Amino acid sequence: GDSVTQTEGLVTLTEGLPVMLNCTYQTAYSTFLFWYVQHLNEAPKLLLKSSTDNKRTEHQGFHATLHKSSSSFHLQKSSAQLSDSALYYCALYNTNTGKLTFGDGTVLTVKP
Amino acid sequence: GPKVLQIPSHQIIDMGQMVTLNCDPVSNHLYFYWYKQILGQQMEFLVNFYNGKVMEKSKLFKDQFSVERPDGSYFTLKIQPTALEDSAVYFCASSLRGAQDTQYFGPGTRLLVL
């Protein structure tokens, strides 16, 4: 079956430093990849999505590029802000089954 | 942006009772989803629903679970009977054309089974 791996469960950064959250996936079918962000006591919200190989997608200062050769969709930001502190989920949509599979999530904490 | 509402926000019930969680999806959306998130754990897919039918469900979607959307009203998740391990936050989501589209999530219903 499909799987999404987020290697870091917890990332702590100082404000202003770059952010990189890892996401790799496994699937036998065509996919869309998503990053969702969930702030404390709020619903998850879409941050980025992509289905196009090697194309950078950007939103709200974050960017990610889907690399099908390495099955990766890492999330990056050049400079972390305090308000970026949240839980980040990488998710994979399987076009064959119609199912969205989430990774375990990465808690990002940005400190002053 | 588009909003998904969930009613109630919190529910406390005794084990064995029935509970219905209600979701008011985005008005023109056609696909609906339920997810379960146990405190401190990842979000897990339960079920998706389209055109009056369950399209896909996970192993977490036990026989005690059912979903429906009668006459375009609330999209509901019913658990009957409830068990202790059903305690979690349940998120509803909807999308326009399928999960490849952006899914908009509700704020969740926090269910505590005693």
Side-chain angles (χ1 to χ4, degrees):
Chain A
D2 298 338
S3 67
V4 177
T5 302
Q6 295 180 244
T7 50
E8 310 98 352
L10 183 64
V11 172
T12 303
L13 290 173
T14 302
E15 190 178 15
L17 290 181
V19 178
M20 177 147 167
L21 306 184
N22 291 318
C23 173
T24 56
Y25 64 91
Q26 281 191 314
T27 182
Y29 298 97
S30 297
T31 62
F32 285 74
L33 269 295
F34 300 82
W35 277 101
Y36 278 88
V37 57
Q38 185 179 18
H39 288 91
L40 193 62
N41 296 324
E42 293 184 11
K45 294 177 188 174
L46 180 70
L47 185 57
L48 294 171
K49 69 176 181 181
S50 180
S51 62
T52 306
D53 198 12
N54 297 319
K55 182 180 177 183
R56 174 172 163 142
T57 182
E58 299 190 37
H59 185 60
Q60 295 183 340
F62 287 90
H63 64 92
T65 303
L66 178 59
H67 292 297
K68 293 186 179 180
S69 60
S70 57
S71 299
S72 67
F73 191 55
H74 306 317
L75 182 67
Q76 299 182 68
K77 187 177 185 185
S78 58
S79 175
Q81 297 177 290
L82 297 176
S83 57
D84 294 331
S85 295
L87 174 60
Y88 291 80
Y89 283 109
C90 184
L92 177 155
Y93 169 71
N94 184 316
T95 57
N96 191 57
T97 65
K99 183 179 166 185
L100 190 65
T101 301
F102 283 84
D104 288 344
T106 298
V107 175
L108 174 65
T109 302
V110 181
K111 295 185 174 179
Chain B
K3 284 202 184 300
V4 175
L5 304 177
Q6 289 188 242
I7 302 162
S9 59
H10 296 77
Q11 181 89 51
I12 301 174
I13 59 170
D14 290 324
M15 182 176 63
Q17 285 189 316
M18 181 195 75
V19 68
T20 300
L21 309 183
N22 298 293
C23 173
D24 188 9
V26 178
S27 60
N28 61 336
H29 284 186
L30 302 175
Y31 292 78
F32 313 109
Y33 314 83
W34 284 104
Y35 295 87
K36 178 181 180 181
Q37 187 177 39
I38 294 174
L39 186 64
Q41 296 185 24
Q42 71 182 107
M43 183 90 65
E44 293 193 272
F45 169 83
L46 283 176
V47 65
N48 61 10
F49 188 86
Y50 168 71
N51 199 25
K53 298 175 191 171
V54 171
M55 303 298 290
E56 177 82 15
K57 58 185 179 181
S58 73
K59 61 180 184 295
L60 295 179
F61 194 79
K62 306 179 296 185
D63 291 343
Q64 297 89 329
F65 287 35
S66 62
V67 291
E68 62 175 355
R69 193 185 187 211
D71 299 325
S73 61
Y74 288 147
F75 175 51
T76 63
L77 173 65
K78 184 185 292 185
I79 309 174
Q80 182 178 27
T82 51
L84 296 177
E85 61 266 26
D86 296 331
S87 295
V89 181
Y90 290 84
F91 288 99
C92 171
S94 70
S95 65
L96 181 59
R97 290 171 298 187
Q100 74 272 25
D101 274 355
T102 300
Q103 289 189 27
Y104 292 88
F105 284 78
T109 293
R110 283 148 185 79
L111 176 65
L112 178 60
V113 181
L114 302 176

